[in-house]
Amino acid sequence: MRAMTYLRPESPAAAVEMVAATAGAQFLGGGTNLVDHLKLGVTSPELLVDISRLPLDTIEQYDGASGRGLRLGANVRNSDLAAHPVVRSRFPVVARALLSGASGQIRNQATTGGNLLQRTRCVYFQDVTTPCNKREPGSGCSALEGYARYNAILGASDACVATHPSDLAVALAALDAVVVVLGPSGERRVPFDELHRLPGDDPSVDTTLGDDELITAVEIPSTAAGERSTYRKVRDRASYAFALVSVAGALDLDGRTVRDVRIAWGGVAHKPWRARRAEAALVGRELTEDAVRAAVDEELTAARTTDETAYKIPMLRGSTALTLLRLAEEIR
Amino acid sequence: MTEQVVSPVRVRSVGRRLDRADGREKVTGAATYAFEHGEADGVVDPLHVWLVQSTVAKGRVARVDSAAALSHPEVEAVIDHTNAPRLEDTDDRELAILQDDAVGFRGQIVALVLAGSAEAAREGAALVDVSYDVEPHEAELREDNATYRPDSVNPDMETDTEDGDVDAALEQAEVVVDQTYRTPYEHNNPLEPHATIAWWDTVDGRSTLSMFDSTQGVHGVVQSVAPMFGLEPDQMRVRAPYVGGGFGSKGEAHAHVVAAALAARTTNGRPVKLAVTRQQMFALTGYRTATISHVRLGARADGTLTAIEHAVKEQSSAIKEYAEQTASPTRMMYAAPNRRTSHRLALLDVAVPSWMRAPGEMPGMFAHEVAMDELAAACGLDPIELRVRNEPDLDPETGKPFNNRRLLECLQRGAERFDWASRPSEARSLQEGDWWVGTGVAAATYPAMKMPGNSARVRSLGEGRYAVAIGSVDIGTGARTVLTQIAADALEVEPDAIDLAIADSRLPSASVAGGSSGTSSWGTAIVAAAQLFRADHGEAPDAGVETTASAADDPAADQYAFHSFGAVFAEARVNRWTGEIRVPRLHGVYSVGRVINPMTARSQFVGGLVMGLSAGLFEESYRDPRFGHVVTQDLATYHVASHADVLDVGAEWLEESDEAFTPMGSRGVGEIGIVGTAAAVANAAYHATGTRVRSLPLTADLFLD
């Protein structure tokens, strides 16, 4: 076996200090993704700093200078978060996104922070015998002309066509969540849209966080739309599969007219894709199937597909329309 | 070996439910699977073996640099083609590993690392640096490269068949279906990955090789591996007390078994343990070839078939030929005077394909039964009525009478269960909420097979108890339970008076748990031994007397064609917004001879239906032709049905007894459940949506407007 160091810090600050002090160190949360990578040889850190026992495991409502909402500790397990009564009633999209991911056992183990930082399931990223720019910068992208069914159609580059696998992240993108991050020079707050990045010419970097920055909490602001929100994941099998595409939708209506709408997509990009152009096309309009389909097409003018991924366009049209129309029915 | 003419068994336990003989051990974790054997079984202080696999598809190993691996403190040895023990027989290029520098496929074993722990062996394998002289490879099956005509197809069937004049009949046909159907590469993926423990010893001056192996046939492993090491069969012993499934992938020894034996040859008697990882299974333990079936059906306007043609293109590995008998069911399924089938292979630089549940019937009946659905639609006929009109009087292939062909009764029973009479005849005519709803049907068939080379031993233990022994394996099917029932009835005692021993190559010879032939083959041998035992030793035998026998061939059996039949009904729902397809109802009705144990048989049927559903909707191994290996090589990317996909799945069977085939009246149940199931799902999806999908799996993207 490979020898590596494993440490359990006493506090978040100590954890940050440990990782900052050692090149190639990594935080270990629930381990549902990182431990696979250790076995597959995708990553070989010299030091693992296990933050899973730090007391970052509470869910609390906040009402203060930063507004009203719900603060999720980074170590709250996915299953606990999905079952929380306030999450279920005020942010249903979060509970539904979580429950559409993984399996019961994995959700019991996986953490809120770790869920956001899981890495692509692109088969070439996970197979160390094939080139992959994300795993080995400069080696090439095998997915461009290979197994492409799950490839990105928005914001991809010639260096990488991987998609982000998280369902929770798609829900949080729709709700304008804020990620609270602790680094060597203190705490900072990252708007959710700015957490993950597009691949560009350096797909090895998934997020805007420094290697020594630790997610300690996620804040979800309360909104009227958030209370009428849901998540629809389209996948080959009914359970335990990554999204072909997924839709996080949140809706606030004034009569039949859209007052506020949030649309985020999974399975289409290197990051959860907030469909702001589609949202803008719908605000102030009557919510109809045709209007949603047209708004989706507006967002997708920038999409680039291949024979293998062309299906995602009609799938996004249909699933986004279904998601928003069902929310509208709930409201009426 | 004494041969005994068998007579039908008077059934008492056979036909009734008996709980699994090994159920308690399995659910409490007490059952010991191959990799788990330890000191209690003679596996003391083992070394662990890890496989190093080729990262090129074709070429030669230029150099194996073991220095870094050997400097690992726990690594004991690295074995490659330069220092591996020599094998006496290297004809089988899948099994004869590390004998030369040739690389025939990506994932081939090119070195073995031995270490004190599995973790160290794995790390050692990562440290072995192999360099290659790479040659161009071909790893893609296409219609234009499947040109090789094998001498025969699995197991030993004609490659091509032809009766009448197919081309003339198609020209004159009033209705023609002329389509191409495709099935993907599929991997067996039993729950328990393959594993082998091996150790060498010397007994009475002769070398012996002992193994625990996760296999469908302990005798088969001896027969294939012993000669490679120059051993007589009695110098090798293989045991497999518990096996967590195989689906054909453990039907024959694969390269890892030889790897374990080779590694153990170098350790001065110390045992070695080798576990194949899930990812390695995608290269090393067999799979189902992709198939391209060109089917042409000619018919009169009333649906009567006048011509049937099924031309198959598929692939094998260039290093070892395996020709799937994909068109074989087409030869006997329906009546038509003009018939032609053929098989052509592309021989590729890829992993070696092998048996996967219902090889031949599964992909072949997908093609044929979807084509029949298309013919029914073209003739404006109900698909069941189409099959009624084409029911043959005699086996179209052999001209012999079928012993027991009850396909139409299966179809009729299923039609009642599925309320077929109320089904709209037009496709895309039912919508419920967000879903298009449809139903479909397909026929199933599987040949009844009995293997040669089976014998059993019956020994009196006194006080009315009997030890019954046969070297067969229970891979989770319930064989241990049904063989106990058969032995009990053959000896006319209660099942709890039987001590059954199986799963050891020191026990009388038994054929593989495959081809749905196990119960027929082993059970008939047990009946032979029991009946001869009673003839020789009477009703009150002394303790210790024993009889070993095999069954004499029944010459009368040659006059019949023995096949099982079934009908599969499916309901499919396709989401009109997302294209997602779900199958809320699946029901199979089977004619398989007498069912020996309703509980374990139902498990086989339902398991087969679920596996067919899984093939219909999910399973596909994506081989990247640039690299030559399957890149969907784990259960996150190779999808099998999850619990949420398996909804109302039912199976039933016709009451019958086929005593012309076996003295128990049974014909075998292991494979027929997967046959036709994917076709029924595809036909239901067509009925739901009006979209005809001719390739598997049926995924959401195929149903989007």
Side-chain angles (χ1 to χ4, degrees):
Chain A
M1 66 211 76
R2 287 188 83 258
M4 64 183 166
T5 309
Y6 169 90
L7 296 175
R8 273 188 210 160
E10 296 293 323
S11 68
V16 168
E17 201 172 306
M18 287 171 182
V19 169
T22 307
Q26 290 187 34
F27 297 112
L28 174 67
T32 60
N33 194 210
L34 179 52
V35 172
D36 284 352
H37 289 172
L38 297 177
K39 290 181 180 172
L40 293 170
V42 170
T43 185
S44 343
E46 300 291 322
L47 168 65
L48 281 183
V49 176
D50 184 350
I51 50 118
S52 66
R53 288 166 177 77
L54 294 178
L56 303 169
D57 56 354
T58 55
I59 300 174
E60 52 199 19
Q61 303 191 56
Y62 65 87
D63 188 357
S66 58
R68 286 176 53 245
L70 200 63
R71 183 180 292 114
L72 324 171
N75 278 342
V76 174
R77 304 285 158 165
N78 287 178
S79 47
D80 294 336
L81 184 56
H84 195 276
V86 176
V87 174
R88 288 164 58 93
S89 63
R90 303 241 323 267
F91 308 97
V93 64
V94 172
R96 289 173 195 169
L98 284 164
L99 292 176
S100 71
S103 65
Q105 295 95 326
I106 292 171
R107 291 194 294 269
N108 284 340
Q109 179 73 12
T111 65
T112 302
N115 187 311
L116 306 181
L117 299 181
Q118 61 181 310
R119 310 204 70 192
T120 185
R121 296 314 200 279
C122 177
V123 295
Y124 302 100
F125 175 69
Q126 298 184 108
D127 180 346
V128 298
T129 71
T130 59
C132 168
N133 285 325
K134 184 180 280 297
R135 177 170 34 75
E136 202 178 324
S139 60
C141 174
S142 298
L144 272 175
E145 290 173 7
Y147 180 64
R149 183 169 169 72
Y150 288 86
N151 283 0
I153 60 168
L154 287 164
S157 70
D158 287 344
C160 183
V161 286
T163 47
H164 197 265
S166 168
D167 295 297
L168 173 64
V170 181
L172 294 178
L175 297 180
D176 287 329
V178 172
V179 180
V180 183
V181 175
L182 183 67
S185 48
E187 192 172 278
R188 70 186 180 105
R189 302 162 61 77
V190 182
F192 205 85
D193 240 8
E194 295 170 20
L195 176 65
H196 298 97
R197 59 185 291 282
L198 293 175
D201 56 8
D202 186 8
S204 69
V205 182
D206 289 354
T207 72
T208 57
L209 302 185
D211 290 343
D212 51 7
E213 285 190 305
L214 176 67
I215 295 178
T216 55
V218 176
E219 292 179 354
I220 316 177
S222 292
T223 56
E227 296 195 13
R228 294 294 182 193
S229 64
T230 193
Y231 189 74
R232 181 170 294 272
K233 183 176 186 178
V234 184
R235 48 186 159 174
D236 284 333
R237 54 183 173 189
S239 171
Y240 203 46
F242 290 94
L244 298 168
V245 305
S246 68
V247 182
L251 186 63
D252 185 24
L253 290 181
D254 179 7
R256 306 186 79 82
T257 305
V258 175
R259 183 185 290 143
D260 184 14
V261 63
R262 316 288 184 83
I263 303 168
W265 289 331
V268 299
H270 198 255
K271 59 185 287 187
W273 190 268
R274 182 73 183 269
R276 292 187 189 277
R277 292 177 69 176
E279 292 172 6
L282 287 170
V283 171
R285 305 269 175 82
E286 185 178 345
L287 191 81
T288 64
E289 179 178 344
D290 286 347
V292 179
R293 286 178 182 268
V296 169
D297 284 350
E298 177 107 11
E299 184 76 36
L300 290 175
T301 51
R304 286 203 302 192
T305 62
T306 62
D307 286 350
E308 291 86 357
T309 57
Y311 75 89
K312 293 193 179 191
I313 302 275
M315 194 175 271
L316 283 168
R317 277 190 207 117
S319 53
T320 307
L322 179 58
T323 304
L324 295 182
L325 293 174
R326 287 288 174 277
L327 281 175
E329 282 171 20
E330 271 182 47
I331 294 168
R332 287 168 197 146
Chain B
M1 180 60 56
T2 314
E3 289 200 344
Q4 168 74 11
V5 175
V6 293
S7 52
V9 170
R10 197 152 19 121
V11 297
R12 299 195 307 170
S13 176
V14 165
R16 296 162 74 170
R17 174 187 167 132
L18 181 69
D19 285 347
R20 283 178 187 268
D22 50 13
R24 173 176 289 272
E25 289 89 326
K26 287 184 172 176
V27 300
T28 57
T32 312
Y33 289 82
F35 194 76
E36 299 174 325
H37 290 277
E39 290 193 17
D41 303 306
V43 183
V44 181
D45 189 24
L47 283 169
H48 290 260
V49 184
W50 207 271
L51 305 174
V52 179
Q53 296 175 274
S54 166
T55 55
V56 304
K58 189 172 171 62
R60 303 209 161 262
V61 174
R63 182 158 177 268
V64 177
D65 183 348
S66 308
L70 289 170
S71 68
H72 189 289
E74 279 190 73
V75 170
E76 302 260 343
V78 176
I79 301 172
D80 61 30
H81 66 280
T82 65
N83 62 352
R86 294 299 106 183
L87 295 167
E88 303 226 349
D89 179 347
T90 58
D91 286 348
D92 187 320
R93 292 184 57 208
E94 179 194 5
L95 297 183
I97 56 165
L98 306 181
Q99 300 301 294
D100 60 34
D101 60 0
V103 174
F105 65 94
R106 186 166 173 133
Q108 178 181 317
I109 298 168
V110 292
L112 311 173
V113 176
L114 279 72
S117 69
E119 292 81 3
R122 182 175 206 162
E123 179 60 14
L127 293 170
V128 174
D129 183 13
V130 185
S131 44
Y132 303 89
D133 294 328
V134 182
E135 295 166 23
H137 70 267
E138 172 65 87
E140 185 175 25
L141 167 65
R142 299 184 309 270
E143 293 196 51
D144 68 5
N145 68 359
T147 55
Y148 168 76
R149 183 186 186 283
D151 290 339
S152 65
V153 296
N154 180 62
D156 55 1
M157 298 174 133
E158 294 289 321
T159 303
D160 300 345
T161 60
E162 183 151 16
D163 291 293
D165 188 338
V166 167
D167 297 315
L170 283 166
E171 220 156 88
Q172 291 159 17
E174 291 168 315
V175 184
V176 172
V177 170
D178 181 343
Q179 294 292 351
T180 300
Y181 304 89
R182 288 180 164 80
T183 63
Y185 299 107
E186 294 166 355
H187 279 76
N188 313 51
N189 277 310
L191 186 59
E192 182 205 16
H194 300 59
T196 306
I197 298 175
W199 68 98
W200 291 80
D201 204 346
T202 304
V203 177
D204 300 334
R206 301 166 83 214
S207 284
T208 63
L209 172 59
S210 299
M211 281 186 180
F212 286 102
D213 187 36
S214 187
T215 176
Q216 294 172 230
V218 288
H219 282 281
V221 174
V222 171
Q223 285 155 16
S224 58
V225 175
M228 298 183 71
F229 288 87
L231 301 177
E232 295 299 321
D234 70 334
Q235 289 171 272
M236 187 170 168
R237 182 183 190 188
V238 179
R239 283 172 282 177
Y242 296 95
V243 176
F247 306 121
S249 72
K250 297 171 183 171
E252 300 177 296
H254 292 293
H256 67 278
V257 179
V258 179
L262 273 176
R265 199 81 184 102
T266 69
T267 61
N268 295 317
R270 197 169 166 188
V272 304
K273 298 179 84 165
L274 191 165
V276 181
T277 67
R278 184 66 63 183
Q279 285 87 350
Q280 290 169 343
M281 287 168 67
F282 282 81
L284 291 174
T285 59
Y287 62 98
R288 194 195 304 282
T289 177
T291 68
I292 304 169
S293 284
H294 185 191
V295 177
R296 293 199 294 169
L297 303 178
R300 291 199 283 269
D302 68 357
T304 311
L305 283 164
T306 55
I308 301 174
E309 180 178 45
H310 189 166
V312 178
K313 293 181 173 176
E314 51 194 18
Q315 57 100 68
S316 184
S317 170
I319 68 163
K320 184 176 179 177
E321 181 176 313
Y322 170 82
E324 180 118 349
Q325 70 274 36
T326 302
S328 65
T330 307
R331 295 170 179 169
M332 48 63 64
M333 201 58 209
Y334 300 110
N338 305 290
R339 337 162 42 75
R340 183 158 67 205
T341 65
S342 63
H343 298 84
R344 295 293 179 273
L345 304 182
L347 297 180
L348 304 176
D349 305 309
V350 298
V352 181
S354 180
W355 301 325
M356 181 165 167
R357 203 175 199 171
E361 277 75 15
M362 191 274 153
M365 286 292 275
F366 168 73
H368 195 14
E369 289 298 294
V370 176
M372 287 295 281
D373 204 63
E374 299 208 54
L375 180 62
C379 295
L381 272 180
D382 180 274
I384 293 177
E385 177 59 25
L386 176 71
R387 288 167 174 87
V388 171
R389 291 185 188 185
N390 289 291
E391 179 71 359
D393 296 326
L394 299 171
D395 174 13
E397 185 177 15
T398 61
K400 295 177 183 178
F402 286 105
N403 182 51
N404 203 358
R405 178 171 168 129
R406 300 176 73 190
L407 170 62
L408 299 186
E409 287 168 79
C410 294
L411 286 163
Q412 284 148 10
R413 176 80 65 88
E416 290 163 23
R417 293 282 188 271
F418 239 65
D419 193 20
W420 193 258
S422 70
R423 175 188 193 252
S425 57
E426 291 298 308
R428 203 178 178 92
S429 52
L430 272 181
Q431 204 181 334
E432 288 180 22
D434 297 325
W435 300 83
W436 292 106
V437 181
T439 50
V441 65
T445 188
Y446 199 79
M449 287 192 275
K450 248 183 337 203
M451 301 291 183
N454 283 277
S455 57
R457 184 176 67 219
V458 174
R459 175 187 293 155
S460 169
L461 299 172
E463 298 175 351
R465 297 192 58 77
Y466 298 88
V468 175
I470 182 165
S472 58
V473 175
D474 185 335
I475 59 172
T477 55
R480 213 175 235 119
T481 312
V482 299
L483 294 182
T484 299
Q485 293 177 274
I486 291 167
D489 284 6
L491 289 164
E492 300 187 325
V493 298
E494 294 302 313
D496 61 11
I498 303 294
D499 283 353
L500 180 76
I502 60 169
D504 185 340
S505 65
R506 289 210 177 145
L507 301 176
S509 176
S511 53
V512 66
S516 300
S517 69
T519 303
S520 299
S521 308
W522 314 325
T524 299
I526 286 173
V527 170
Q531 291 179 345
L532 184 59
F533 177 92
R534 284 292 187 222
D536 286 353
H537 304 295
E539 298 300 317
D542 295 334
V545 300
E546 69 173 48
T547 296
T548 302
S550 57
D553 284 338
D554 175 8
D558 274 351
Q559 59 189 298
Y560 296 110
F562 291 102
H563 295 266
S564 287
F565 292 92
V568 191
F569 290 76
E571 176 185 330
R573 291 180 172 241
V574 177
N575 190 293
R576 76 176 183 89
W577 305 85
T578 64
E580 286 163 294
I581 174 169
R582 305 287 182 245
V583 175
R585 271 198 303 164
L586 192 59
H587 192 81
V589 183
Y590 298 101
S591 159
V592 292
R594 175 179 274 130
V595 161
I596 297 196
N597 182 328
M599 182 181 70
T600 55
R602 183 182 302 279
S603 172
Q604 287 296 302
F605 291 131
V606 169
L609 286 162
V610 169
M611 202 165 176
L613 168 71
S614 188
L617 299 185
F618 310 117
E619 293 188 39
E620 177 173 24
S621 308
Y622 183 91
R623 180 192 294 150
D624 190 323
R626 299 169 302 171
F627 302 115
H629 72 305
V630 170
V631 296
T632 53
Q633 52 190 329
D634 55 40
L635 294 178
T637 51
Y638 182 88
H639 285 174
V640 299
S642 70
H643 286 93
D645 298 300
V646 180
L647 301 168
D648 180 2
V649 179
E652 62 184 297
W653 47 87
L654 306 181
E655 288 303 320
E656 63 187 41
S657 179
D658 193 344
E659 285 159 7
F661 188 63
T662 64
M664 303 80 73
S666 60
R667 274 199 303 265
V669 298
E671 276 149 292
I672 195 167
I674 196 176
V675 180
T677 307
V681 172
N683 295 341
Y686 167 75
H687 186 240
T689 62
T691 300
R692 180 66 74 181
V693 176
R694 300 185 180 87
S695 62
L696 294 179
L698 285 87
T699 47
D701 49 294
L702 303 171
F703 295 100
L704 287 165
D705 294 328

